[in-house]
Amino acid sequence: MIRFHKLALGAALVAMLGFIPSSHIGNVAFAAEMTDAEKKAEEVAATAAAEEMLNVATPYAPPEGSSSFAYEAEVSKMLDIVINSLYTNKDIFLRELISNASDALDKIRFLSVTKPELLGETKELEIKVEYDPDNKTLTIRDTGIGMTKDDLIKNLGTVARSGTTNFIKALSESEKNNVNMIGMFGVGFYSTFLVADRVTVASKCNDDDTQHVWESLNGESSFHVGPDPRGNTLGRGTEITLHLKEEADQYLSPYKLKELIRHYSEFVTHPVSLRQIKTVKVPKEKDEFEEDDEPKKDEGGDVEVTEDKEEGKEPEMEEVTTYEYEQINTDPAIWARDKDIITDEEYQEFWQVVSKGDGGPKAEDWTHFTAEGNINFKSILYVPSEVPYALQQGQLENMVNGLRLYVRKVLISDEFDLMPRYLSFVKGVVDSDDLPLNVNRETLQESKIVKIIKKKLVRKAIELIRKMATAPMPEDDAAEAEVDADGNTVIPEDKPKKVHPYITWYKKFGLSLKMGCIDDSANKDKLQKLLRFKTSKTDGENDYASLQEYVDRMKDWQKEIFVFPGESMKLLKESSFMDAFLERDVEVIYLTDAIDEYFIGNVREFSGHKFRDITKEGVKFSDEDENIAKRRAKVYADKFKPLTKFLKKLYGSDVSRVSISKRLGRAPAIVSSSEWGNSANMDRIMRAQAWAHKDSPGESVFSSGIMELNPRHPFVIKLLESIPEDEEAEVPESVKDTAWILLDMATMSGGFPIRDPKKYASRMARVLKNNLGIESLDLAAEIDPPEEDDEPDEPDFDMPDMDGFKMSDMGDLGDFDMEDLDM
């Protein structure tokens, strides 16, 4: 681009305008008689036009003394998305800038609690917004912590702090570009390019004596950072100036800005003010050098006294532009307001502030309360509708606590540890007047007052979840309900069954509540009432039962809560362990979560009823006469004693005991666990642990189970008959194989892995050999295929050269008939 000298360009333009015929400039009839005032106005217009052409012709010049830095590749890609995507609401940029300014103020205020000298001469912590219609700029200024030169480069030019990778990923996965995602990943600053052609950031930090300026053009792949040519104008803080686009003039309107600031700063604890530009008329000041008219003298030389002719005459007025700041966010913080006058929409808007997009677009529910007593504080607690990202990935160590702690409106921390880990998904604010400010964060964490606050917050959070669980089923929308001719509501047969909102929420957060039963012994009884389980009597996908509902449905003779841990619902339903329970119509709770085993082992009982794992020994039914059951068990034990003794000797250490069971239905045998040992499911979980200290693969020692035999099954009866009466007699190999296969079947039915797969394969091979009547397992000789005559090779077929061939050379084929061919 050619760069013109300002004076030369202006002179050329004025000269050019001088040659334009007067009839093209003004009224034809009076053009020849232009007054001096009109000529002067024409010259002013020409000069203004020259200035405008100069602005267009002059290329952009970065701030004096600044250096150029390239954006990281991810930032450039993200900027391109932000700038070129079609957003329906560009107001979002102001929310992000106010939020960033508030964070900077919170940081300096927290640091100044222990080091008041950090505030220096700039003690007011505030945000100011200014608009300049003449220069088409919008400025947001704060007196926060500020940034050094390195901070400007890192925070505004690299992916390390901006989180643009997650932003781009989320944006690419969404069905449409959603501007609300800005801010969720810390890229809010770049939303300024939605409305600005150029962005200038000046910042001054206590750690640097020099005020620096950052600047970048919209669409440019680099930015510039250097000392601010104006010097230290801020004292401390950050000033962001947006040079607005032509189509962004609406953000120069004080009415529009006032509306946006009020909307986005409602929950900001620091004052946010808008500079109002007003033009007022004031009496014109008299020039102090202007001499008063000399008074007239009479003929005698005395001064003639006359009446003041100026009396009663209005003074000459002139227009003066004034500037004054008006605080916009005069309402108190939402948690300090009366909850009866706060709408659900306002609560959901505040949820967006505290959640920062992690936990779903809306909160599932919330509680707003004031705790009074020895310790007083105000709080709003939210339960999210979606699982936070870290919790979803199982990364509890990376789970950020979502409660902001304020002390007398001073933000102490937005990641304060006020909730146990099982409630780490709860987000909100806590504001206390009783906590000390002049202590560090570590000391405050151990404060007795904080411990009392924690206890009350946990109680309120559990009560909030209980309220969700006991809420009535929402009614159908009247607009969607079908009504017949008589006015009765018609329910379509294929209409899906309604799901209680708590069940939908519990399917996402149930693991956390089970963890609470393990970690929080003081509240485990309350938490157990919030749990929901699949049972043998809940068929639908969304059909769950509470522990209290299970207890209410227990048989009259039943004293224990039967549970069945396993890998999947399908395997549990088809397991042999369920035979006796299905036969007696006894409900069993299915446990398919990995944490369930730990939960049962720690909690042990509910409402006075112990949990009984049906895969372990000791399961008894009290639905028959106890005396008859004892006598029958004694008879079975005596009858099958030779078999149990033989099998224990045969199996050796592969089983800990062989016993006769009365709880088996159609299965011949099953391997169960001892009452205090690990179940098959727990054994599987422990062996799958990445950090389990165990033997090398292939050398793992499996836990020995209890072999339970079904005395009524034909396999077991036949096996008893196959045992020689003489204990010293040799047992046929076929009987041993049958006994081992019985153990293999029982092991797999019990959920345990086969101990020795190679021996298992050998036994099965022998069984197949006997069943098929095969005398030897030697392999047959290789087939000697006969020689065959060589078939002639297919003739090669050369395609004719089609170069230069045209269909037009074939002539008219319209009369062509297949019958003309001599086949």
Side-chain angles (χ1 to χ4, degrees):
M1 184 180 290
I2 301 175
R3 187 170 183 175
F4 297 93
H5 191 279
K6 179 178 180 180
L7 295 178
L9 182 61
L13 184 60
V14 172
M16 179 185 67
L17 291 174
F19 286 102
I20 298 177
S22 59
S23 60
H24 293 176
I25 299 176
N27 187 304
V28 178
F30 300 97
E33 302 177 1
M34 291 180 62
T35 63
D36 293 340
E38 290 173 333
K39 290 180 180 179
K40 184 156 183 156
E42 187 175 285
E43 290 178 4
V44 172
T47 304
E51 291 285 350
E52 185 175 351
M53 287 186 62
L54 182 65
N55 292 335
V56 173
T58 304
Y60 165 73
E64 184 180 350
S66 64
S67 302
S68 179
F69 300 86
Y71 283 115
E72 284 194 351
E74 293 295 337
V75 176
S76 297
K77 187 186 300 183
M78 184 275 303
L79 282 171
D80 181 65
I81 294 175
V82 170
I83 296 168
N84 297 315
S85 297
L86 299 178
Y87 293 107
T88 58
N89 177 21
K90 296 183 178 181
D91 300 344
I92 203 77
F93 81 94
L94 192 57
R95 181 191 75 182
E96 298 303 326
L97 295 186
I98 290 176
S99 176
N100 291 344
S102 177
D103 290 343
L105 291 169
D106 287 336
K107 290 178 182 178
I108 191 64
R109 182 162 65 170
F110 175 69
L111 294 174
S112 67
V113 170
T114 53
K115 296 181 179 180
E117 65 274 11
L118 292 178
L119 293 179
E121 297 181 358
T122 311
K123 299 187 182 300
E124 297 79 10
L125 301 180
E126 58 187 353
I127 303 171
K128 290 186 175 181
V129 182
E130 300 176 2
Y131 62 96
D132 187 345
D134 295 332
N135 294 316
K136 294 185 178 181
T137 60
L138 181 64
T139 302
I140 294 88
R141 184 185 301 109
D142 67 71
T143 55
I145 195 168
M147 291 179 282
T148 64
K149 178 181 178 180
D150 290 340
D151 292 336
L152 288 170
I153 296 172
K154 292 178 182 178
N155 295 345
L156 305 184
T158 69
V159 73
R161 304 291 181 86
S162 63
T164 51
T165 300
N166 289 335
F167 174 80
I168 294 172
K169 181 181 178 182
L171 194 60
S172 61
E173 291 176 354
S174 63
E175 295 181 358
K176 60 180 181 179
N177 293 332
N178 185 359
V179 73
N180 289 326
M181 285 191 298
I182 295 181
M184 292 171 57
F185 305 99
V187 295
F189 168 77
Y190 302 115
S191 63
T192 54
F193 289 106
L194 293 171
V195 298
D197 285 323
R198 175 161 55 103
V199 178
T200 304
V201 181
S203 194
K204 172 67 174 65
C205 180
N206 287 335
D207 297 334
D208 195 340
D209 295 333
T210 305
Q211 178 173 308
H212 288 87
V213 62
W214 178 100
E215 188 168 276
S216 182
L217 290 179
N218 194 334
E220 199 175 48
S221 61
S222 62
F223 57 93
H224 310 275
V225 179
D228 195 333
R230 302 173 300 172
N232 185 2
T233 61
L234 299 175
R236 186 194 65 251
T238 301
E239 176 187 83
I240 301 177
T241 302
L242 311 182
H243 303 266
L244 298 175
K245 298 177 181 179
E246 290 292 336
E247 64 271 18
D249 285 350
Q250 56 179 316
Y251 301 110
L252 297 174
S253 165
Y255 307 104
K256 174 72 171 179
L257 289 173
K258 195 171 183 179
E259 175 189 352
L260 291 178
I261 295 171
R262 180 178 288 111
H263 178 69
Y264 290 130
S265 67
E266 181 181 2
F267 311 118
V268 176
T269 57
H270 309 283
V272 182
S273 303
L274 175 65
R275 190 181 72 168
Q276 300 281 7
I277 302 177
K278 296 181 179 180
T279 302
V280 296
K281 289 186 177 182
V282 298
K284 187 176 182 181
E285 294 184 2
K286 195 173 185 182
D287 190 350
E288 59 181 351
F289 297 104
E290 184 179 348
E291 296 183 359
D292 294 335
D293 295 336
E294 293 184 4
K296 296 181 180 180
K297 297 181 180 179
D298 57 13
E299 295 178 354
D302 297 328
V303 177
E304 182 180 353
V305 179
T306 58
E307 295 182 3
D308 189 358
K309 295 182 180 180
E310 302 296 329
E311 240 180 75
K313 183 179 179 182
E314 293 185 1
E316 188 176 356
M317 308 295 286
E318 65 177 347
E319 290 187 348
V320 176
T321 301
T322 62
Y323 303 94
E324 62 180 35
Y325 286 93
E326 177 186 357
Q327 184 176 342
I328 306 301
N329 59 336
T330 55
D331 294 334
I334 186 172
W335 60 86
R337 293 164 54 189
D338 185 354
K339 62 182 179 182
D340 293 333
I341 63 174
I342 305 175
T343 64
D344 289 352
E345 290 74 15
E346 289 176 311
Y347 278 120
Q348 292 288 9
E349 288 177 2
F350 187 56
W351 159 253
Q352 294 290 341
V353 175
V354 298
S355 68
K356 298 180 180 178
D358 189 20
K362 288 189 176 183
E364 185 71 23
D365 208 341
W366 59 86
T367 178
H368 184 182
F369 63 94
T370 300
E372 296 179 345
N374 295 332
I375 304 299
N376 299 322
F377 64 90
K378 294 180 173 64
S379 177
I380 300 179
L381 300 180
Y382 287 95
V383 171
S385 57
E386 300 294 337
V387 181
Y389 179 77
L391 189 60
Q392 189 176 6
Q393 300 298 317
Q395 302 170 353
L396 287 178
E397 66 279 2
N398 297 329
M399 189 69 184
V400 177
N401 291 284
L403 292 185
R404 295 183 177 186
L405 177 63
Y406 289 85
V407 177
R408 295 189 287 277
K409 301 294 188 299
V410 176
L411 179 65
I412 300 301
S413 174
D414 57 357
E415 298 178 4
F416 205 73
D417 186 13
L418 289 171
M419 282 289 183
R421 64 172 183 169
Y422 73 92
L423 290 177
S424 57
F425 57 81
V426 176
K427 299 180 183 295
V429 294
V430 179
D431 190 355
S432 173
D433 293 338
D434 298 323
L435 286 170
L437 277 171
N438 57 345
V439 292
N440 58 35
R441 178 175 173 176
E442 288 73 19
T443 304
L444 192 60
Q445 189 77 56
E446 299 301 323
S447 169
K448 292 182 179 180
I449 299 177
V450 170
K451 292 180 179 179
I452 295 174
I453 292 176
K454 282 184 179 182
K455 187 175 181 180
K456 291 186 177 181
L457 289 175
V458 171
R459 189 186 308 153
K460 282 291 185 178
I462 295 176
E463 176 61 24
L464 172 60
I465 300 175
R466 189 199 65 80
K467 185 185 74 172
M468 294 165 48
T470 57
M473 178 73 78
E475 297 181 0
D476 287 328
D477 190 350
E480 297 180 358
E482 298 182 9
V483 181
D484 58 16
D486 299 330
N488 300 319
T489 302
V490 179
I491 301 178
E493 295 182 0
D494 58 346
K495 185 177 180 179
K497 184 179 178 181
K498 289 185 64 176
V499 181
H500 194 284
Y502 180 71
I503 295 299
T504 304
W505 181 87
Y506 178 82
K507 290 165 72 174
K508 304 172 186 176
F509 293 91
L511 289 178
S512 294
L513 299 183
K514 291 176 182 178
M515 185 189 299
C517 294
I518 300 171
D519 292 349
D520 191 354
S521 58
N523 291 299
K524 70 175 182 179
D525 292 339
K526 295 179 181 178
L527 291 169
Q528 284 190 84
K529 295 179 180 179
L530 303 176
L531 302 181
R532 299 293 183 267
F533 297 94
K534 286 284 190 178
T535 75
S536 56
K537 292 188 176 181
T538 57
D539 297 328
E541 179 184 354
N542 296 301
D543 288 339
Y544 285 79
S546 66
L547 290 175
Q548 187 59 53
E549 289 173 334
Y550 179 94
V551 170
D552 294 341
R553 293 197 292 255
M554 286 171 59
K555 300 293 183 180
D556 295 337
W557 52 265
Q558 188 178 348
K559 299 178 181 179
E560 298 173 312
I561 299 175
F562 296 112
V563 297
F564 188 5
E567 189 172 358
S568 68
M569 293 287 295
K570 183 176 184 297
L571 294 177
L572 296 181
K573 290 179 179 180
E574 298 175 354
S575 172
S576 300
F577 282 116
M578 288 296 300
D579 293 347
F581 295 92
L582 295 175
E583 181 182 340
R584 292 171 170 82
D585 192 32
V586 176
E587 189 172 11
V588 177
I589 294 177
Y590 296 139
L591 305 177
T592 56
D593 293 329
I595 198 175
D596 286 337
E597 292 270 18
Y598 301 97
F599 161 70
I600 295 298
N602 281 269
V603 175
R604 299 191 177 278
E605 65 175 32
F606 171 77
S607 189
H609 301 278
K610 290 185 177 181
F611 292 107
R612 171 65 65 179
D613 186 345
I614 67 172
T615 67
K616 295 185 177 182
E617 65 173 339
V619 175
K620 297 178 181 179
F621 300 103
S622 303
D623 57 339
E624 60 182 357
D625 185 85
E626 187 176 353
N627 186 36
I628 295 178
K630 285 183 178 180
R631 288 188 285 119
R632 182 180 289 127
K634 187 176 183 303
V635 172
Y636 278 133
D638 293 339
K639 178 181 178 181
F640 286 91
K641 185 175 181 180
L643 178 61
T644 57
K645 188 175 181 180
F646 163 73
L647 293 178
K648 180 63 182 80
K649 182 178 179 181
L650 178 67
Y651 298 150
S653 62
D654 281 358
V655 296
S656 61
R657 188 168 74 253
V658 179
S659 63
I660 302 300
S661 176
K662 188 63 177 66
R663 63 168 169 164
L664 294 178
R666 63 181 183 274
I670 201 165
V671 172
S672 62
S673 305
S674 64
E675 184 174 0
W676 304 106
N678 290 333
S679 66
N681 185 60
M682 190 64 179
D683 188 58
R684 175 185 62 84
I685 293 172
M686 294 182 67
R687 284 187 283 107
Q689 297 298 317
W691 289 98
H693 289 56
K694 57 189 178 183
D695 297 329
S696 301
E699 300 176 1
S700 300
V701 179
F702 297 100
S703 57
S704 298
I706 300 170
M707 176 76 160
E708 296 187 26
L709 301 176
N710 187 348
R712 301 171 57 197
H713 200 280
F715 286 179
V716 177
I717 297 173
K718 184 64 176 177
L719 190 58
L720 174 63
E721 296 172 353
S722 302
I723 301 298
E725 294 182 1
D726 185 2
E727 295 182 5
E728 301 298 329
E730 183 68 23
V731 179
E733 287 296 323
S734 60
V735 175
K736 292 181 180 180
D737 282 344
T738 302
W740 277 108
I741 292 174
L742 185 64
L743 175 62
D744 293 333
M745 293 171 53
T747 299
M748 289 185 288
S749 297
F752 291 99
I754 296 296
R755 261 62 172 177
D756 193 332
K758 186 175 181 180
K759 291 182 179 179
Y760 171 76
S762 298
R763 284 193 293 271
M764 295 306 297
R766 289 195 295 270
V767 170
L768 289 174
K769 174 186 173 184
N770 294 332
N771 290 343
L772 295 175
I774 298 174
E775 296 181 357
S776 174
L777 293 180
D778 294 337
L779 299 179
E782 287 277 10
I783 295 177
D784 187 12
E787 295 184 359
E788 297 181 359
D789 296 335
D790 294 337
E791 295 183 2
D793 296 335
E794 293 287 338
D796 294 335
F797 178 75
D798 295 330
M799 291 291 295
D801 187 4
M802 302 294 290
D803 291 342
F805 173 77
K806 297 180 180 179
M807 287 296 296
S808 57
D809 297 339
M810 298 295 294
D812 187 6
L813 300 179
D815 297 333
F816 179 78
D817 193 342
M818 291 293 293
E819 295 180 358
D820 295 338
L821 293 174
D822 185 7
M823 302 299 290

